[in-house]
Amino acid sequence: MAVCARLCGVGPARGCRRRGAAREQRRGGAGDSEPDTDTDPEEAGGGGGGSGSGGGGGGGGDEEAAAERIEGGRPAPHPAEAGPAGRAPLSLLELPPELLVQIFGSLPGTDLPSLARVCTTFRRILRTDTIWRRRCREEYGVCENLRKLEITGVSCRDVYAKLLHRYRHILGLWQPDIGPYGGLLNVVVDGLFIIGWMYLPPHDPHVDDPMRFKPLFRIHLMERKCATVECMYGHKGPHNGHIQIVKKDEFSTKCNQTDHHRMSGGRQEEFRTWLREEWGRTLEDIFHEHMQELILMKFIYTSQYDNCLTYRRIYLPPSSPDDLIKPGLFKGTYGSHGLEIVMLSFHGKKAKGTKITGDPNIPAGQQTVEIDLAHPLQLPDVENLRDFSELSRIVLEVQEQVRREEQEHRQEEEETASQPAAKPLGGEGAEGEETAAGAEGTTQDKAPASQPFVLPMGVISRNEDYPRTCRICYYGTGLIAGHGFTSPERTPGVFVLFDDDRFGFIWLELKSFSLYSRIKVSFQNAEAPSCEAFDEMLKNIQSLAT
């Protein structure tokens, strides 16, 4: 901005100020390049004189100011350097307005308020809607219906400043604070609206079906006024709502007309409607008594919020070429609790599955499974695999091996801490050999050769339509607990990789099988700024769940 200001003759350079003061004395008043102090994007193209008024005097003064050439904030060039007509090069203000519109339109919208402070000429040019139409399109992907805004009296600058820029901090992925149940919200720019979409897993047990989604709130402009927030919860259409940005990476929503959530048939009708939407069936279709209790408990707990919720930002896991498969979000089967959303991420020789949605036993935010990528499992042939005791024997042997290795590692750390640092002969080479061997083993483990797979007899699966071949299996642990997350413990299990988009986990102690399928949705504004930020996010949601 300092360069632009010097080019315009209104910058901080002393020569500019002296020439500006001399001109003002000669003219007896302020020129057209009076500095502006506005900083709000909403004011970057407005205020300080409307379309029919100028800065200072009347129309004649404006024409005189526009006609006057403003010298640049630098010494006059040598006559030999002057143009053919013997005059100095043009200043920035002498460029054609249409060229300035193109230049200003290529700048980030957050820089335009500073540009408007340079002079009233720049401020007037920044009232051009073409500039803001381009910023809306390039920064937020808004391209449709912008030319039709004139009918409603809303400009592209209004859309940018009062809607997109104002609510930019709530765009992205969020997890609502709904006790143990959690959730997945994606706030996106949709046309001339900002909409919060709640994503729901498909109906149990169809794990390969696409995700379902419904709007919880929307924000839009009405006739140049401030943005309007509307609650979309319930079945009576949009109604008045409120959004408050609590702090960085956290915001809350509130419905101001909760009577729109009520149904004429009372709570029974509300429960039946919720059951059809949530589970795709009626209570009579669910014969398992424990499952009926869990469903009724979830309805009572979640409906009390009335869409008055606090949301905390979550990120998609960063990926690396060394990852076993692409990390991301998966939907998986969890017995009587139905389908839940899990985030798979890789951390060196470990992979973690973190719950984004949860249940009263293992709440959202907890690490449901952990995979030890350093310990692949060699499954027996199909006939022996049907024997649960054979699979259990293999897993428990690996579990004992992992315990010994961890114990040896702790002893080595204690010995190293008690002795002065010393570099043994050949240590570096030995370490290099070990690393190379580990890398070679990892490469072999990731070989895409498939092998037959079948669940052992006695292992319960909600979805019998699981793949009958797998790529590789690893030792892992799964988190189990009593109701209310009481007495949590990690128990051994088997991680089964079927393909790039599906994996499973056998819980030995529960004798149950969970099948996971990738969520194939392109979520916007969900990438983690760094690996450290993602790890911090995982810690935060786990601590909140605990």
Side-chain angles (χ1 to χ4, degrees), residues 315-316 318 527-536:
Y315 299 115
L316 292 178
E527 300 300 326
S530 65
C531 293
E532 293 76 15
F534 176 78
D535 292 338
E536 187 66 24

Side-chain angles (χ1 to χ4, degrees), residues 36-303:
D36 199 296
T37 57
D38 242 337
T39 58
D40 193 335
E42 190 171 335
E43 303 297 332
S51 58
S53 63
D62 286 344
E63 293 176 3
E64 181 183 352
E68 180 183 4
R69 179 173 64 84
I70 301 176
E71 295 289 346
R74 56 185 178 182
H78 190 275
E81 298 175 0
R87 61 191 297 258
L90 293 173
S91 71
L92 190 60
L93 283 175
E94 288 186 329
L95 292 176
E98 57 271 18
L99 182 56
L100 289 177
V101 168
Q102 290 295 324
I103 294 173
F104 294 170
S106 64
L107 298 174
T110 51
D111 289 348
L112 298 183
S114 300
L115 193 61
R117 297 175 57 190
V118 173
C119 62
T120 52
T121 298
F122 282 7
R123 187 184 184 95
R124 186 165 54 248
I125 291 175
L126 285 170
R127 288 200 290 265
T128 306
D129 230 28
T130 305
I131 296 173
W132 300 100
R133 182 181 299 117
R134 180 175 175 182
R135 299 322 318 145
C136 291
R137 181 180 67 252
E138 293 185 0
E139 293 182 26
Y140 297 99
V142 180
C143 54
E144 65 274 16
N145 298 325
L146 288 179
R147 296 186 179 275
K148 300 178 182 178
L149 286 174
E150 299 176 358
I151 303 175
T152 63
V154 178
S155 67
C156 293
R157 182 175 63 84
D158 291 331
V159 173
Y160 186 94
K162 298 179 180 179
L163 179 66
L164 303 178
H165 180 77
R166 180 180 178 185
Y167 289 98
R168 68 192 184 281
H169 295 301
I170 71 170
L171 299 177
L173 275 182
W174 303 84
Q175 184 183 49
D177 184 5
I178 316 180
Y181 298 104
L184 181 65
L185 181 84
N186 191 205
V187 183
V188 298
V189 176
D190 190 348
L192 298 179
F193 292 84
I194 291 179
I195 302 180
W197 295 100
M198 180 67 83
Y199 277 81
L200 307 170
H203 294 139
D204 181 55
H206 307 291
V207 71
D208 287 325
D209 286 358
M211 295 285 286
R212 300 173 295 128
F213 50 90
K214 64 179 181 180
L216 290 191
F217 62 83
R218 70 180 186 183
I219 314 169
H220 62 110
L221 289 181
M222 294 294 290
E223 299 177 356
R224 296 180 62 85
K225 298 179 181 178
C226 294
T228 301
V229 178
E230 294 178 327
C231 175
M232 304 290 287
Y233 190 78
H235 299 82
K236 295 183 179 179
H239 46 283
N240 187 264
H242 175 73
I243 287 180
Q244 179 182 2
I245 299 178
V246 181
K247 58 182 179 180
K248 186 179 183 295
D249 296 335
E250 184 176 325
F251 77 96
S252 62
T253 59
K254 180 182 179 182
C255 177
N256 297 329
Q257 294 176 289
T258 56
D259 56 298
H260 281 63
H261 306 168
R262 308 283 82 84
M263 303 185 76
S264 57
R267 296 288 280 175
Q268 289 187 353
E269 183 181 358
E270 293 171 14
F271 174 64
R272 286 195 298 268
T273 304
W274 175 87
L275 188 58
R276 285 196 300 270
E277 294 176 351
E278 187 83 7
W279 292 83
R281 62 183 78 175
T282 64
L283 196 61
E284 291 74 21
D285 296 333
I286 303 172
F287 301 105
H288 199 291
E289 185 176 347
H290 178 58
M291 191 173 183
Q292 291 180 352
E293 293 175 354
L294 292 173
I295 291 173
L296 185 59
M297 184 188 308
K298 185 175 182 179
F299 168 74
I300 295 173
Y301 192 97
T302 57
S303 61

Side-chain angles (χ1 to χ4, degrees), residues 409-457:
H409 182 67
R410 284 194 298 268
Q411 290 176 352
E412 290 176 359
E413 287 182 341
E414 292 174 357
E415 292 175 358
T416 304
S418 61
Q419 295 177 359
K423 185 176 179 181
L425 287 174
E428 190 175 284
E431 184 180 353
E433 291 177 5
E434 182 181 352
T435 304
E440 183 179 354
T442 303
T443 305
Q444 293 175 357
D445 293 344
K446 294 175 66 174
S450 61
Q451 56 183 316
F453 176 80
V454 65
L455 285 177
M457 298 294 292

